[in-house]
Amino acid sequence: MSPGLTRIAAAFLAFMLGAWTTTAASQTLSFSTVVLDAGHGGKDGGSVWNGLIEKKLCLDVAKRVEAGLKARGLKTVMTRRTDTFVELSQRARLANRVPSSIFVSIHFNGSRKTIISGGEVYYRSSRGRTLASAISRSIQSRVTGGARGIFHGNYKVLRDTRMPAVLVECGYLSNKREAARCATPAHRQKLADAIVSGILAVRAR
Ligand SMILES: [Zn+2]
């Protein structure tokens, strides 16, 4: 298909999927453990923009999410808790060993289009989409800069994990204003709080 047609077809599919899952927005997921995956680490720094290095911010937010979830009685597993390199396949393998879990990968974004800002949440499965919607809504309502929405993403950690899984891009480090926000612990705490409340919003009681 031509790029134009592909875009129209994709928009139509997204619309149909949106209509079909309107009721699914209130769907819940059953889980007792959240596998938290801080993106990058060690030799893999991730995006580097405006004096910030993605891997450090990912780990910082993941630890804040961990604390928030534990305070609310949920169990957590971290794929890394130090500045170490962990293969993507190893992250998924580790997650797949955790029963009754969901998987939340935490990243920050970068683009040469430095005007772009805001969070994005990626999913691959329909249960992942439920989780992605809740986290995106939560970021939109609680975090300065908001969220650009949810997107289907073919990331390896989403492909290889068997539980509901999302990848959260917490914001664009390439955007000067967003980078300045992300550099502050207060903003990263807000991001973490938003991710925690998104997770809690979909949890079956
Ligand atoms: Zn990343």
Side-chain angles (χ1 to χ4, degrees), residues 114-126:
T114 55
I115 194 161
I116 302 176
S117 66
E120 296 172 352
V121 189
Y122 290 83
Y123 65 92
R124 207 163 166 273
S125 67
S126 72

Side-chain angles (χ1 to χ4, degrees), residues 34-40 54 57-58 61-62 65 103-109 118-123 128 131-140 143 146-151 155 157-158 165-172 191-192 194-196 198-199:
V34 181
V35 179
L36 293 166
D37 177 47
H40 311 281
E54 183 188 353
L57 303 183
C58 298
V61 171
V65 173
F103 180 88
V104 178
S105 189
I106 293 168
H107 288 253
F108 285 79
N109 230 332
E120 296 172 352
V121 189
Y122 290 83
Y123 65 92
L131 180 59
S133 297
I135 292 175
S136 177
R137 274 197 303 272
S138 183
I139 291 174
Q140 174 62 22
V143 179
R148 288 157 52 80
I150 64 168
F151 303 87
Y155 293 103
V157 290
L158 301 183
V166 295
L167 186 147
V168 184
E169 294 279 5
C170 292
Y172 279 82
L191 280 165
I195 293 169
V196 167
I199 289 170

Side-chain angles (χ1 to χ4, degrees), residues 81-97:
R81 50 169 50 261
T82 56
D83 183 19
T84 45
F85 177 75
V86 184
E87 294 281 0
L88 297 176
S89 55
Q90 197 182 330
R91 296 169 193 247
R93 244 194 331 265
L94 189 154
N96 287 336
R97 285 199 296 263

Side-chain angles (χ1 to χ4, degrees), residues 34-52:
V34 181
V35 179
L36 293 166
D37 177 47
H40 311 281
K43 66 183 181 185
D44 172 16
S47 287
V48 181
W49 292 89
N50 293 308
L52 299 174

